Amino acid sequence: MTATLSTLGSSPKNQLRLVLAVCCLAQFMNVLDASVMNVALPSIFEELKFERHDLQWVNSAYTIAVCGFLLLGGRLADLFGQRRVFLFGAALFTVASAVGGMATSPGALIAARGFQGLGAAVMAPASLTVLGTTFRDPTARAKAFGWWSAVSGTGGAAGVLLGGIVTESLGWRWVLLINVPLGIALVAMIRGAVPETPSNGGRKALDVPGAFTVTIGLMALVYGIAQSHELGWGSWQVAGSLTLAVVLFALFLRQQTVSDHPLMPLGIFRNRAVTATNIVAFFAIAALFSTFYFLTLVLQQVMGFSALATGVGYLPLSIGIALGGFGVARIVPKIGPRPVLIGGLLTATVGLLWVSTADESSTYLGSILVPTTLLGLGMGAVLNATTNAATSGVPREQAGLASGLLNTIRQMGSAIGLVVLATMSSARADSLLAQGEPLRHSLGSGYGLALFGAAVFTFCGALAALAVPRKK
């Protein structure tokens, strides 16, 4: 395929739809994989004979690799060409999925998950960069981001349902192996539909010291956060990792001021829309992905739902996210992202406050259906508007950087938000258990506090959205 962006812009609509389908499939695989493994963990634990304290690394290896390499992955798309980098990420993700699905030891599975994360870290910003550079018309761009954002939100919820179905019917290995045919199709679609952008200097323009310090720094930060719940904030592993992250981030910022080709030109933060929108995205994703975790526990451990019933129970949330993303597609270009962000986050706040009241005596119709629909509608609108605002108005040579920055902030939000809320939840539940309260009541109270905390996150996001520039 030798198409360029200029020729693609004049190509038939079905060509543009194919590009959109490629980007959405890539994002669906990324987001799905982050949640689908949770349901399979008990089966993995039994078959591969994991030590209990090592099982968390099935997810942590993926999360650390994704968060650590996202910023670099976005920059590589700018430097080496978006199609080339997109292909590399998709191929690596597919191969790692196959290796993980055939793993016969804990170490092999953990390593495969790490390489999956690396592939995702390259693929996610590349897919967003392709959308941003292909769809130039504001209305078409908003619609494209509506699809991409809907896939981002619904993929996480769909992972709960798909994980239960696949694990129960085919076995845990197919949670990974299902990525292989999808990945092969994705590679073929990228080769046939995605145009290449010219290289901007390649290795000569890559800030190697900056890439090293920020990548290792992000990995150290996420490692420290991921281990804090298990080891405690005062442990030498956690304290050492967080200290290392601070030192490396300081060195990274220093490097960006002296490098001729900085990995992350700090001038991008002079773009008020980019800065404010990334803050909004941090709080929104911290709330949304924490909700996936705690709502699952509420449904199963407090209200007594089966794994399959829990997945079905997520359908209103998934549908709400899709409708919210599509519903604002025509509105964002007309009124700008600011009112959409504020309205969506306030709607999500109401939904989270409502669902946080669910306990062992609650019913699905009374405490889950309506609030999760409100949450979905609000978050669907927010995902669309943040994606649009954080990548528009950015020079083409920094499109990958903006995409990588947004995805990095989202990953950090999901990791930090979950740890903070899990700590609050555990403290509340342990306190009630120590007072002799029943288990279901104690757990429900802890999970409810976490969901209330998620509501606080969305409200903070709404306050941050006030700094997003108004449409002129």
Side-chain angles (χ1 to χ4, degrees):
M1 178 84 178
T2 58
T4 65
L5 287 171
S6 59
T7 60
L8 186 63
S10 59
S11 60
K13 286 186 176 181
N14 61 346
Q15 179 75 27
L16 294 175
R17 290 181 184 136
L18 185 56
V19 172
L20 177 60
V22 170
C23 296
C24 286
L25 176 58
Q27 184 63 5
F28 181 77
M29 291 173 65
N30 280 337
V31 177
L32 181 74
D33 206 76
S35 63
V36 73
M37 290 296 295
N38 289 325
V39 181
L41 287 178
S43 300
I44 294 171
F45 174 77
E46 293 293 336
E47 182 172 335
L48 295 187
K49 311 298 182 186
F50 264 85
E51 296 291 337
R52 189 165 298 278
H53 63 275
D54 289 335
L55 186 62
Q56 64 168 317
W57 282 103
V58 176
N59 281 339
S60 294
Y62 181 87
T63 301
I64 291 170
V66 169
C67 195
F69 286 96
L70 267 171
L71 194 58
L72 178 59
R75 191 61 173 149
L76 290 177
D78 294 333
L79 297 178
F80 293 94
Q82 60 189 24
R83 180 171 177 265
R84 186 179 297 111
V85 172
F86 200 173
L87 275 172
F88 172 76
L92 179 59
F93 187 91
T94 303
V95 172
S97 297
V99 172
M102 296 184 291
T104 57
S105 68
L109 178 58
I110 291 171
R113 289 286 286 165
F115 280 104
Q116 258 193 311
L118 177 57
V122 174
M123 189 164 56
S127 69
L128 189 53
T129 302
V130 169
L131 281 187
T133 55
T134 300
F135 290 85
R136 291 294 187 176
D137 176 74
T139 301
R141 179 188 176 94
K143 288 181 180 178
F145 282 149
W147 278 98
W148 193 91
S149 300
V151 166
S152 297
T154 57
V160 180
L161 175 60
L162 185 61
I165 295 173
V166 171
T167 301
E168 289 183 13
S169 59
L170 299 175
W172 71 264
R173 295 183 181 278
W174 281 96
V175 170
L176 291 166
L177 293 176
I178 197 172
N179 288 322
V180 176
L182 290 175
I184 292 173
L186 177 61
V187 168
M189 292 169 71
I190 294 171
R191 288 178 59 85
V194 175
E196 187 58 280
T197 51
S199 170
N200 290 330
R203 295 179 184 82
K204 294 181 180 179
L206 182 61
D207 174 17
V208 176
F212 176 82
T213 52
V214 74
T215 299
I216 303 302
L218 285 168
M219 293 176 72
L221 174 65
V222 178
Y223 172 82
I225 293 170
Q227 293 292 91
S228 63
H229 186 61
E230 180 77 20
L231 303 177
W233 292 102
S235 67
W236 69 266
Q237 296 98 323
V238 173
S241 295
L242 297 180
T243 301
L244 177 62
V246 171
V247 171
L248 289 174
F249 287 153
L251 292 174
F252 170 71
L253 292 175
R254 170 61 179 166
Q255 173 65 21
Q256 300 316 286
T257 64
V258 300
S259 174
D260 292 333
H261 303 285
L263 178 68
M264 186 177 71
L266 298 181
I268 194 172
F269 293 106
R270 288 196 291 268
N271 185 320
R272 181 178 159 191
V274 170
T275 302
T277 305
N278 273 279
I279 296 173
V280 172
F282 176 89
F283 284 114
I285 296 301
L288 180 60
F289 280 86
S290 295
T291 299
F292 289 151
Y293 178 78
F294 289 107
L295 183 58
T296 300
L297 296 177
V298 168
L299 292 173
Q300 291 186 328
Q301 296 183 2
V302 179
M303 298 177 66
F305 281 41
S306 68
L308 184 57
T310 298
V312 174
Y314 266 87
L315 288 177
L317 177 58
S318 301
I319 294 171
I321 290 174
L323 293 177
F326 297 143
V328 301
R330 293 182 179 275
I331 300 174
V332 172
K334 296 178 181 178
I335 67 174
R338 186 173 185 263
V340 173
L341 289 171
I342 295 172
L345 287 162
L346 291 178
T347 301
T349 300
V350 172
L352 283 167
L353 288 174
W354 188 345
V355 81
S356 71
T357 64
D359 57 25
E360 64 273 20
S361 64
S362 298
T363 64
Y364 182 80
L365 291 178
S367 300
I368 305 297
L369 176 61
V370 176
T372 56
T373 302
L374 289 174
L375 173 62
L377 290 171
M379 282 299 187
V382 170
L383 289 170
N384 185 323
T386 53
T387 303
N388 204 317
T391 56
S392 60
V394 176
R396 178 178 293 180
E397 63 273 13
Q398 292 186 354
L401 169 62
S403 302
L405 179 61
L406 177 62
N407 280 287
T408 300
I409 292 297
R410 284 174 166 175
Q411 286 290 334
M412 289 177 64
S414 64
I416 295 173
L418 183 57
V419 168
V420 170
L421 297 182
T423 302
M424 293 169 49
S425 175
S426 296
R428 168 66 70 86
D430 290 345
S431 174
L432 292 176
L433 286 170
Q435 297 172 28
E437 294 289 339
L439 177 61
R440 286 177 66 190
H441 174 73
S442 300
L443 292 176
S445 181
Y447 301 150
L449 179 62
L451 290 168
F452 179 83
V456 174
F457 283 158
T458 56
F459 186 72
C460 290
L463 294 178
L466 295 172
V468 175
R470 297 177 184 270
K471 180 177 174 60
K472 296 179 181 180

